[in-house]
Amino acid sequence: MKNITFNRDIQERKEHMAIDYATLKKGGFMRQKQKGYFSLRLQVVGGNLTAENIKTIAEVAQTYGHGYVHMTSRQGVEIPFIHSKDIEEVKEKLAEGGVKPGVCGPRVRTVTACQGSEICPSGCIDTYGLAQKIDQHYFGRELPHKFKFGITGCQNNCLKAEENDLGVKGGMEVSWVADQCIHCGVCEKACREGAIRCTDTEVTLDRTKCTFCGRCVKACPTDAWEGESGYLIYFGGLFGNNIYKGERFLPLIREEETFFKIADAAIGFFNENANAGERFRFTIQRVGEDKFREKILQTYEDSEEAKR
């Protein structure tokens, strides 16, 4: 009996040594404290899953896990207790329902998003559409450390844009159309920043107070306010062992092409300058805030949007 147990232990050690943990982690399989088991992180874009995706995930969790999933703080889904011997079969079953494993480690992570203008009355931008495009451009890209995108549709900031390495907040550049105005004062009441003042004959906007929320546009009963939607971009946020609020120094970016040029420049700066295991915020601080801003501002100034 002792020999059987001894031989089984040796076999388990051999199997344990044969597992390529780094590759599995890269593919979303995170090692658990329980020997031979992994918690599988799935790829979720902008917080959206189809009914078919959810059904497949539930079936895999029931068959190969412990019958439950974990919802992460970043809109992710993880299936705990996947045994190493079932990994390939689990991937096949998930693929049948259109579900892909996620990623861990030093690379671009899950792109988070609120429901945005397609669903939410407060939304200024199509957050999910942008999340899909960011995912297509960057998801899984190898970098010196993890890199997180987060997209929120308006100033309500449900997705907390400033906590991300690169955060996006939807906004509107607004303008008053005098001949449409009936001077009802609704816009002044809607503005939470006190940026709008109404009289019987005139409406004024203090742009130093405007936060691009677009509430005046949405509240006006006669379309006397017009708004052009765009992206407010925040760089270098952290919310973990260290906390740092991401900073915005660019104007409202109206064009998607310009946004991606700026995102390319930010990720390029990180990839070129970061030490292994160094977060984006610390790279910016070590290399120099001025150098980073100079690169990003130059990228914006070189864009067709800035030249118009």
Side-chain angles (χ1 to χ4, degrees):
M1 187 69 177
K2 289 183 178 179
N3 286 338
I4 293 173
T5 303
F6 180 73
N7 291 334
R8 187 184 297 122
D9 289 342
I10 291 175
Q11 182 62 31
E12 287 179 355
R13 287 195 192 98
K14 287 181 178 178
E15 291 174 358
H16 180 75
M17 292 172 64
I19 296 173
D20 186 346
Y21 290 103
T23 300
L24 286 173
K25 184 176 181 181
K26 181 179 178 180
F29 287 89
M30 298 177 294
R31 192 173 173 182
Q32 290 185 202
K33 62 186 291 184
Q34 292 83 6
K35 190 175 180 180
Y37 287 93
F38 296 83
S39 185
L40 170 56
R41 178 174 294 169
L42 303 176
Q43 183 180 359
V44 180
V45 182
N48 281 17
L49 289 167
T50 67
E52 182 65 22
N53 293 156
I54 295 169
K55 180 181 176 183
T56 301
I57 293 167
E59 289 173 350
V60 169
Q62 189 67 49
T63 304
Y64 299 96
H66 280 191
Y68 74 95
V69 300
H70 172 69
M71 312 297 289
T72 76
S73 61
R74 284 189 56 82
Q75 298 183 328
V77 177
E78 294 175 7
I79 308 176
F81 291 99
I82 301 297
H83 197 275
S84 57
K85 65 181 175 59
D86 295 323
I87 285 174
E88 292 306 316
E89 192 170 336
V90 164
K91 289 195 287 187
E92 290 175 8
K93 294 294 183 183
L94 289 170
E96 291 173 6
V99 181
K100 299 177 182 178
V103 298
C104 304
R107 47 195 59 90
V108 177
R109 300 291 189 83
T110 294
V111 182
T112 61
C114 69
Q115 297 208 71
S117 60
E118 298 301 292
I119 302 293
C120 178
S122 298
C124 295
I125 58 170
D126 177 7
T127 52
Y128 182 58
L130 182 61
Q132 287 178 303
K133 292 173 183 176
I134 291 174
D135 181 81
Q136 291 164 9
H137 275 75
Y138 304 116
F139 180 71
R141 180 178 295 188
E142 303 287 331
L143 290 169
H145 206 338
K146 60 187 173 184
F147 194 97
K148 298 176 180 179
F149 285 91
I151 311 166
T152 199
C154 68
Q155 288 294 334
N156 290 336
N157 205 14
C158 297
L159 256 291
K160 301 175 179 62
E162 294 90 340
E163 291 181 3
N164 293 270
D165 296 286
L166 196 154
V168 182
K169 189 182 294 182
M172 280 189 184
E173 187 83 59
V174 301
S175 57
W176 178 57
V177 184
D179 59 5
Q180 293 284 102
C181 186
I182 59 173
H183 303 284
C184 63
V186 169
C187 56
E188 182 176 354
K189 293 176 182 176
C191 181
R192 293 172 173 172
E193 306 303 321
I196 296 174
R197 289 289 177 266
C198 299
T199 69
D200 292 339
T201 59
E202 192 70 23
V203 175
T204 58
L205 171 65
D206 183 347
R207 293 197 179 275
T208 64
K209 294 182 179 179
C210 181
T211 60
F212 307 99
C213 70
R215 286 174 59 85
C216 53
V217 175
K218 294 176 173 64
C220 182
T222 63
D223 297 327
W225 285 97
E226 294 179 344
E228 186 176 4
S229 293
Y231 314 113
L232 300 166
I233 307 176
Y234 298 80
F235 303 96
L238 276 177
F239 203 83
N241 291 322
N242 296 278
I243 296 175
Y244 197 97
K245 184 179 177 181
E247 298 177 343
R248 181 178 74 85
F249 50 84
L250 291 174
L252 185 80
I253 303 301
R254 297 177 180 83
E255 297 178 8
E256 196 175 274
E257 180 182 358
T258 307
F259 167 77
F260 278 103
K261 287 181 178 178
I262 290 166
D264 283 345
I267 286 180
F269 182 91
F270 181 46
N271 197 40
E272 292 163 14
N273 293 284
N275 296 323
E278 181 177 61
R279 289 298 298 272
F280 185 38
R281 164 49 50 189
F282 300 134
T283 301
I284 293 172
Q285 290 176 329
R286 178 176 54 79
V287 176
E289 301 271 356
D290 291 344
K291 288 184 179 179
F292 175 68
R293 289 190 178 209
E294 181 181 354
K295 181 177 180 65
I296 299 301
L297 286 167
Q298 189 62 57
T299 300
Y300 169 69
E301 289 166 6
D302 289 342
S303 70
E304 293 301 315
E305 176 177 338
K307 294 174 182 177
R308 282 193 282 273

